[in-house]
Amino acid sequence: MTTQDFCIKWGVYGLALLPVWFCQAFVLNRLPFLPLVPMVLPLAAVAVAVLEGAVAGGGFGLAVGILCDVVYFGTNGAMTVGICVAGIAAGALAQYLLRQNLVGCLLCSLLALAGIDGVRILARLLRGETALRAMLTLAGQEIVLSLLFAFPVYALFLWVYRRVPKKTVL
């Protein structure tokens, strides 16, 4: 793969991330019928990781994590590391244990969202907030709502994956 192909490939993935970011930042948090705000940006990192593998998933996850720290309130840089790790893990799981398809993406998305919410709950418990049952209920509802958006996010990045050069050599 030439440098030009490499730049085009990841530039197109970056462009595909724009509508996901726009929906996250300007649409989903303003819909009155949604009880919670779904996390859509981590789903984008997981989708690319499932399609491209662990190394590419980690790199794209790092970029998406930085964007998550900008969009989500009170993350203090944790999403940069968390989404990068989720991208590496999802890519490795999809490459070696699961299939690189929608089912693999859904399972990896579930694990990534559960990991993110698990760290959030643990941080709040360490700060002395004791409403564990309420936090678990809220996290479960947020994960289910977010997973509904995994279908269009995966479809978008699958469409990009089928149209960009395939082999990535870093």
Side-chain angles (χ1 to χ4, degrees):
M1 173 181 284
T2 65
T3 304
Q4 182 179 6
D5 289 342
F6 183 82
C7 291
I8 289 171
K9 174 182 183 171
W10 292 105
V12 172
Y13 274 124
L15 287 174
L17 185 62
L18 288 177
V20 177
W21 165 77
F22 183 82
C23 285
Q24 179 71 63
F26 299 111
V27 176
L28 293 176
N29 60 353
R30 290 174 171 77
L31 295 177
F33 58 86
L34 290 179
L36 302 165
V37 178
M39 291 189 294
V40 181
L41 285 172
L43 300 176
V46 169
V48 171
V50 165
L51 293 169
E52 292 286 345
V55 174
F60 194 74
L62 181 66
V64 172
I66 292 169
L67 188 59
C68 284
D69 280 328
V70 171
V71 172
Y72 299 132
F73 176 75
T75 58
N76 299 326
M79 291 296 271
T80 300
V81 175
I83 302 297
C84 180
V85 169
I88 293 169
L93 278 173
Q95 271 183 305
Y96 301 115
L97 292 176
L98 304 171
R99 292 186 180 221
Q100 292 177 300
N101 59 12
L102 178 62
V103 174
C105 183
L106 285 172
L107 290 172
C108 290
S109 296
L110 175 65
L111 292 173
L113 292 171
I116 290 168
D117 280 337
V119 169
R120 285 179 177 174
I121 290 171
L122 183 62
R124 288 187 175 143
L125 286 175
L126 291 175
R127 284 192 305 244
E129 298 177 22
T130 59
L132 179 62
R133 184 173 179 190
M135 287 190 287
L136 287 174
T137 302
L138 187 64
Q141 291 172 351
E142 182 183 60
I143 289 169
V144 169
L145 182 61
S146 297
L147 282 176
L148 294 176
F149 291 92
F151 295 99
V153 169
Y154 178 77
L156 172 67
F157 286 103
L158 180 64
W159 181 81
V160 171
Y161 175 75
R162 289 182 176 161
R163 283 158 181 79
V164 296
K166 300 293 182 260
K167 187 70 177 162
T168 299
V169 179
L170 297 176

